[in-house]
């Protein structure tokens, strides 16, 4: 068999299973990453495992999301994470050092390795020829404890890129084109593997924009080969020893093929409020803007911001627009400062934020009432910017910069001097290397004390699966419900990530403010969802908080990969409608009954009685035997507890 790159990496890490599409495989994890909004839960879980040191080759913990210190919560969490890193042998990237995904591939990623991260955009790292995969915090904790990663063998889809982008069209437009074609659920169960002659024109940062937003299609990951361009990048990072060449075999076999001719691409934009609502900028009427944000783990590289600066130089941001910019990492920030680019941005009226996630996830810089914001980030879900009535568009830094000047969403290709403006721009040959904001692991850490602030509450653990579940429908949701809908993120809510009792109070808060009272009234309940339930962020709070409020299971038309795993990990049964029409027959507050739950789970066919409407319908589960056992025990942590108790 002529092997593709993804298969080669998976095979070299295979611990068990057959690499047949859809079958469960277990692979060794070399590296992990966590950050401050998923890390606390991951380490609270890790602490319960009683393991003296992490067992991965390298694990890194980042402080990059919760950077606003409005009260004690975020700084307390950062102190906790730093003490955990010291105790268990992790690298700790301090607040100010940059966004986890960017810093990780700059300083730690290695071609050919497997990285597991408790963030849905972990695939960003696959830009350098590693397989970087997003997961819930508990999966990452287990990987740090030396457990393999279990995943369904994905389909490997070859995306062949031909042609060349014209000036003003960017890597962002390639991935927006993918979203236009594939939709927010088109990537579920797939790895997109990029090849083709156009790769020679795409830098590592361009590639990282594309691998980053593979997450928006629900893909397991997206990967590029480790070619000469990646080699150059490792040289520039002074990490040549970590580089190795990695390509798919010639004429490698793939499960599907997609071709994109870059000559034909135009600047694209994702319209509110889904990343796949993509159209050409030129199709839009002049949409007036209140805010432009250039930043996030998708598009905050040296070249992204340099191109924006070139466009902005000599102009002032439109009087009605607030332009905010956050460099992706301290390395990028330092180089932009050195080369006078920040000065150009500031002269044009840009507001510079610290290196971190910030506005991308509603942590500061919310738009005004009914505000219209254009962003280079990756998600434009309703409410994610911090206000429910905002309309958020997603586009490249080039579109963002020209639009910030004009005051409406504008097409940079129509600016006839762009080619000239970008003519001499090259990725730097050397980067500023300064790891002083990364605290390396400590050798002798036995005496290290874990420091816990008052906001850090223990991880709640589920009960064993009840045999009879007689529950009410506490939430009845439509299609494409995101984990942002289930657990909203913004400056205020993200500060509650280490406190499940507190954060559970905002479950579904933005879309269904009565949910929490309803769930509490029913004590035990079930959620009904449409297609692609739980898409988006990896936040396992979207499983833990409902579990804490007594939710026993979710019945949906289909489920997003990471969220489904999070449900299983925390003991909530992920049921799928056998006949999608049955979804319509159920209403909120209906009383449902499932009997002989564990027996039915084993058969994978679960009959549910609707006691309110007096009919029965069939659901099924796509679970391995291992997952059935986890659910019967009440989740992974409960299972570990049971195993420890029987020793
Ligand atoms: C996001 O982009 O939504 C986040 C915040 O980075 C999340 C992590 C989380 O909310 O726990 C993600 O992408 O997984
Ligand atoms: Fe941070 Fe936004 Fe990237 Fe999530 S998507 S890691 S919030 S920058």
């Amino acid at each position: 068999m002529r092997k593709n790159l993804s298969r080669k990496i998976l095979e070299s890490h295979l611990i068990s299973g057959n690499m047949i599409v859809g079958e469960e495989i277990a692979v060794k994890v070399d590296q992990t990453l966590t950050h401050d909004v998923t890390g606390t839960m991951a380490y609270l879980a890790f602490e319960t495992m009683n393991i003296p040191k992490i067992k991965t080759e390298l694990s890194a913990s980042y402080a990059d999301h919760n950077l606003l210190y409005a009260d004690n919560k975020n700084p307390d969490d950062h102190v906790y994470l730093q003490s955990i890193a010291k105790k268990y042998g992790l690298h700790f990237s301090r607040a100010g050092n940059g966004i986890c995904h960017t810093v990780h591939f700059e300083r730690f990623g290695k071609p050919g390795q497997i990285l597991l991260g408790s963030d849905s955009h972990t695939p960003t790292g696959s830009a350098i020829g590693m397989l970087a995969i997003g997961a819930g915090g508990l999966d990452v904790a287990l990987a740090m404890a030396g457990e393999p990663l279990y995943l369904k063998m994905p389909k490997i889809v070859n995306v062949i890129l031909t042609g060349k982008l014209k000036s003003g069209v960017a890597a962002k437009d390639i991935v927006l084109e993918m979203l236009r074609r594939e939709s927010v659920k088109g990537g579920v169960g797939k790895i997109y593997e990029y090849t083709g002659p156009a790769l020679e024109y795409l830098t590592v940062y361009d590639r990282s924009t594309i691998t980053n937003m593979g997450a928006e299609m629900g893909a397991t990951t997206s990967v590029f080969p480790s070619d000469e361009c990646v080699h150059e990048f490792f040289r520039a990072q002074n990490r040549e020893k970590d580089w190795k060449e990695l390509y798919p075999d010639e004429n490698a076999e793939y499960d599907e093929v997609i071709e994109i001719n870059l000559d034909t691409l135009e600047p694209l934009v994702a319209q509110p409020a889904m990343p796949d609502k993509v159209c050409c900028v030129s199709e839009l009427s002049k949409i007036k803007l209140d805010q432009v944000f250039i930043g996030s783990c998708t598009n905050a590289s040296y070249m992204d911001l340099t191109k924006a600066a070139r466009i902005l130089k000599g102009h002032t941001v439109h009087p009605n627009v607030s332009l905010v910019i956050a460099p992706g990492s301290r390395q990028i920030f330092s180089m932009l400062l050195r080369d006078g680019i920040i000065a150009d941005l500031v002269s044009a009226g840009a507001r510079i934020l610290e290196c971190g996630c910030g506005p991308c996830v509603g942590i500061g810089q919310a738009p005004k009432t009914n505000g219209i914001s254009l962003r280079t980030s990756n998600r434009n879900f309703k409410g994610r910017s911090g206000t429910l009535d905002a309309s958020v568009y997603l586009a490249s830094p080039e579109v963002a910069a020209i639009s910030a000047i004009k005051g409406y969403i504008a097409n940079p290709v129509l600016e006839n001097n762009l080619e000239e403006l970008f003519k001499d721009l090259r990725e730097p040959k050397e980067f500023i290397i300064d790891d002083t904001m990364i605290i390396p692991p400590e050798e002798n850490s036995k005496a290290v004390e874990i420091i816990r602030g008052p906001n850090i509450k223990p991880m709640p653990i589920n009960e064993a699966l009840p045999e009879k579940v007689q529950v009410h429908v506490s939430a009845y949701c439509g299609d494409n419900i995101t984990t942002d809908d289930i657990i909203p993120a913004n400056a205020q809510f993200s500060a509650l990530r280490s406190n499940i009792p507190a954060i559970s109070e905002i479950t579904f808060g933005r879309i269904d403010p009565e949910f929490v009272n309803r769930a509490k009234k029913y004590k035990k309940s079930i959620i009904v969802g449409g297609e692609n339930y739980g898409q988006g962020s990896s936040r396992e709070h979207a499983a833990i908080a409902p579990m804490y409020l007594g939710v026993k299971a979710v019945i949906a038309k289909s489920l997003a990969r990471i969220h489904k795993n999070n449900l299983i990990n925390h003991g909530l049964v992920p049921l799928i409608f056998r006949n999608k029409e049955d979804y319509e027959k159920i209403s909120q507050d209906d009383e449902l009954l499932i009997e002989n739950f564990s027996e039915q789970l084993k058969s994978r066919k679960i009959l549910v009685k609707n006691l309110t409407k007096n009919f029965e319908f069939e659901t099924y589960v796509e679970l391995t035997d291992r997952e059935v056992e986890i659910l019967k025990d009440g989740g992974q942590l409960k299972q570990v507890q049971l195993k420890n108790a029987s020793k």
Side-chain angles (χ1 to χ4, degrees):
M1 184 182 195
R2 292 173 309 278
K3 291 176 192 151
N4 54 55
L5 175 57
S6 314
R7 182 168 268 275
K8 283 186 189 182
I9 301 178
L10 289 172
E11 201 172 73
S12 64
H13 288 74
L14 193 66
I15 291 174
S16 64
N18 295 318
M19 292 176 52
I20 297 168
V21 173
E23 288 201 6
E24 186 177 75
I25 55 170
V27 292
K28 174 176 175 286
V29 174
D30 304 300
Q31 303 193 348
T32 65
L33 73 76
T34 58
H35 53 61
D36 45 1
V37 295
T38 55
T40 44
M41 280 295 129
Y43 299 111
L44 286 170
F46 184 78
E47 284 186 277
T48 66
M49 295 173 196
N50 287 324
I51 289 166
K53 282 269 174 197
I54 51 150
K55 296 192 176 166
T56 40
E57 180 181 310
L58 179 138
S59 287
S61 168
Y62 293 85
D64 56 356
H65 285 64
N66 274 338
L67 299 180
L68 292 181
Y69 288 5
D71 59 22
N72 65 305
K73 298 189 195 73
N74 295 341
D76 281 358
D77 282 358
H78 288 174
V79 168
Y80 167 74
L81 292 173
Q82 185 167 338
S83 68
I84 283 278
K86 199 167 177 184
K87 174 110 192 146
Y88 293 109
L90 292 96
H91 291 264
F92 183 69
S93 175
R94 297 169 58 190
N97 199 44
I99 306 173
C100 57
H101 308 302
T102 314
V103 177
H104 202 89
F105 76 75
E106 286 174 346
R107 305 308 303 148
F108 296 122
K110 285 189 190 171
Q113 291 208 334
I114 292 187
L115 163 70
L116 192 70
S118 60
D119 187 280
S120 62
H121 291 106
T122 305
T124 316
S126 301
I128 55 164
M130 74 189 312
L131 276 192
I133 299 175
L138 187 47
D139 286 317
V140 174
L142 287 161
M144 290 189 293
E147 294 294 322
L149 165 69
Y150 293 93
L151 76 162
K152 297 252 157 60
M153 178 65 198
K155 278 188 179 168
I156 316 295
V157 181
N158 187 199
V159 186
I160 305 171
L161 302 180
T162 59
K164 194 176 175 191
L165 296 172
K166 47 182 172 278
S167 271
V169 187
K172 179 64 149 250
D173 299 306
I174 302 176
V175 73
L176 287 176
E177 172 63 14
M178 281 291 288
L179 269 151
R180 194 183 66 77
R181 295 189 190 188
E182 295 282 280
S183 88
V184 288
K185 55 180 197 296
V188 176
K190 295 179 184 171
I191 294 181
Y192 293 112
E193 186 168 315
Y194 288 82
T195 64
L199 260 52
E200 73 168 293
Y201 308 116
L202 298 176
T203 67
V204 161
Y205 288 96
D206 289 335
R207 297 172 185 197
S208 77
T209 300
I210 297 170
T211 52
N212 175 282
M213 286 189 71
E216 273 51 71
M217 292 172 263
T220 303
T221 189
S222 308
V223 67
F224 280 81
S226 175
D227 56 8
E228 203 35 47
C229 155
V230 178
H231 193 185
E232 279 287 299
F233 175 77
F234 273 76
R235 264 196 218 115
Q237 289 287 350
N238 199 13
R239 292 210 292 131
E240 212 183 342
K241 61 170 188 356
D242 289 339
W243 179 77
K244 71 173 181 193
E245 190 178 76
L246 260 186
Y247 283 103
D249 288 341
E250 211 163 314
N251 297 320
E253 290 172 27
Y254 290 94
D255 298 299
E256 282 172 29
V257 179
I258 295 176
E259 201 171 319
I260 304 181
N261 179 352
L262 307 192
D263 292 335
T264 63
L265 286 188
E266 292 296 322
L268 298 173
V269 59
Q271 304 167 80
M274 275 293 147
D276 63 355
K277 276 191 76 186
V278 174
C279 71
C280 290
V281 172
S282 55
E283 283 170 60
L284 296 174
S285 58
K286 291 185 176 172
I287 295 187
K288 287 206 181 110
L289 295 169
D290 302 297
Q291 183 191 60
V292 172
F293 166 54
I294 308 181
S296 89
C297 54
T298 323
N299 275 116
S301 70
Y302 178 86
M303 287 294 269
D304 287 336
L305 300 186
T306 303
K307 284 185 180 166
R310 286 273 167 111
I311 294 173
L312 285 156
K313 195 169 177 167
H315 298 272
T316 302
V317 172
H318 188 277
N320 296 341
V321 174
S322 163
L323 170 65
V324 283
I325 293 183
S329 69
R330 181 165 159 268
Q331 180 184 72
I332 293 168
F333 200 7
S334 308
M335 295 196 298
L336 294 169
L337 281 167
R338 178 195 63 191
D339 299 343
I341 292 153
I342 294 290
D344 289 342
L345 293 167
V346 170
S347 301
R351 302 165 66 180
I352 309 295
L353 308 178
E354 64 178 311
C355 316
C357 301
C360 174
V361 66
I363 299 184
Q365 304 300 326
K368 73 177 185 48
T369 304
N370 294 321
I372 303 187
S373 181
L374 175 67
R375 298 174 168 219
T376 65
S377 46
N378 44 40
R379 291 184 175 142
N380 55 351
F381 303 147
K382 193 170 155 64
R384 184 172 162 99
S385 62
T387 54
L388 262 184
D389 55 13
S391 303
V392 177
Y393 292 79
L394 306 173
S396 68
E398 288 89 325
V399 173
I402 192 77
S403 305
I405 299 169
K406 303 229 180 230
Y408 59 85
I409 301 180
N411 184 348
V413 174
L414 301 181
E415 303 302 303
N416 46 21
N417 63 343
L418 260 200
E419 194 124 353
E420 186 58 27
L421 216 53
F422 291 172
K423 184 170 87 211
D424 61 320
L425 287 184
R426 299 279 172 282
E427 192 75 35
K429 284 260 170 274
E430 275 175 28
F431 290 75
I432 294 180
I433 312 297
D434 172 7
D435 288 333
T436 49
M437 288 292 278
I438 301 177
I439 302 175
E442 187 114 341
E443 279 304 312
N444 297 318
S445 58
K446 266 217 175 98
V448 173
E449 195 197 326
I450 306 293
I451 306 166
R452 261 172 257 274
N455 185 45
I456 300 176
K457 299 281 184 275
M459 170 79 113
I461 300 185
N462 207 346
E463 57 175 14
L465 185 74
E467 274 313 312
K468 180 176 169 190
V469 170
Q470 189 164 344
V471 287
H472 288 84
V473 177
S474 52
Y476 183 78
C477 324
D479 291 344
N480 292 321
I481 287 296
T482 69
T483 47
D484 276 82
D485 292 326
I486 306 170
I487 292 291
N490 65 12
Q492 185 196 351
F493 301 149
S494 295
L496 301 173
R497 288 295 187 92
S498 9
N499 185 339
I500 295 294
I503 206 167
S504 67
E505 292 293 323
I506 56 156
T507 312
F508 284 114
R510 276 197 192 128
I511 59 169
D512 182 0
E514 277 310 305
F515 170 80
V516 174
N517 286 340
R518 216 178 294 127
K520 283 183 181 166
K521 177 179 89 187
Y522 289 135
K523 294 198 172 62
K524 291 190 177 169
S525 66
I526 197 161
I527 291 172
V528 174
E531 298 283 2
N532 201 22
Y533 179 82
Q535 69 155 327
S537 152
S538 68
R539 69 192 67 145
E540 62 187 335
H541 303 72
I544 306 174
M547 179 269 277
Y548 183 78
L549 293 170
V551 174
K552 294 287 151 199
V554 171
I555 316 178
K557 291 185 190 168
S558 62
L559 284 153
R561 177 185 65 90
I562 302 179
H563 187 61
K564 177 185 166 194
N565 286 348
N566 287 338
L567 291 174
I568 299 168
N569 280 347
H570 294 283
L572 291 92
V573 186
L575 301 166
I576 311 284
F577 286 104
R578 175 77 66 198
N579 300 311
K580 291 187 179 172
E581 303 79 65
D582 288 328
Y583 165 86
E584 310 291 341
K585 298 185 197 153
I586 304 173
S587 316
Q588 185 185 293
D589 300 310
D590 281 0
E591 192 174 18
L592 307 184
L593 171 69
I594 302 172
E595 286 175 302
N596 303 322
F597 214 161
S598 53
E599 266 316 297
Q600 295 213 68
L601 261 192
K602 267 200 220 148
S603 72
R604 310 306 196 257
K605 182 175 124 180
I606 294 99
L607 293 175
V608 185
K609 283 191 193 124
N610 186 326
L611 301 176
T612 311
K613 305 234 168 77
N614 199 20
F615 72 96
E616 192 173 65
F617 61 98
E618 194 183 311
T619 65
Y620 66 96
V621 282
E622 283 179 341
L623 298 174
T624 61
D625 292 346
R626 185 186 62 84
E627 289 168 326
V628 169
E629 289 309 310
I630 293 173
L631 284 170
K632 277 166 53 187
D633 286 344
Q636 290 259 26
L637 282 176
K638 186 78 190 182
Q639 194 172 63
V640 171
Q641 270 187 351
L642 291 172
K643 275 186 194 154
N644 287 346
S646 65
K647 270 181 198 164

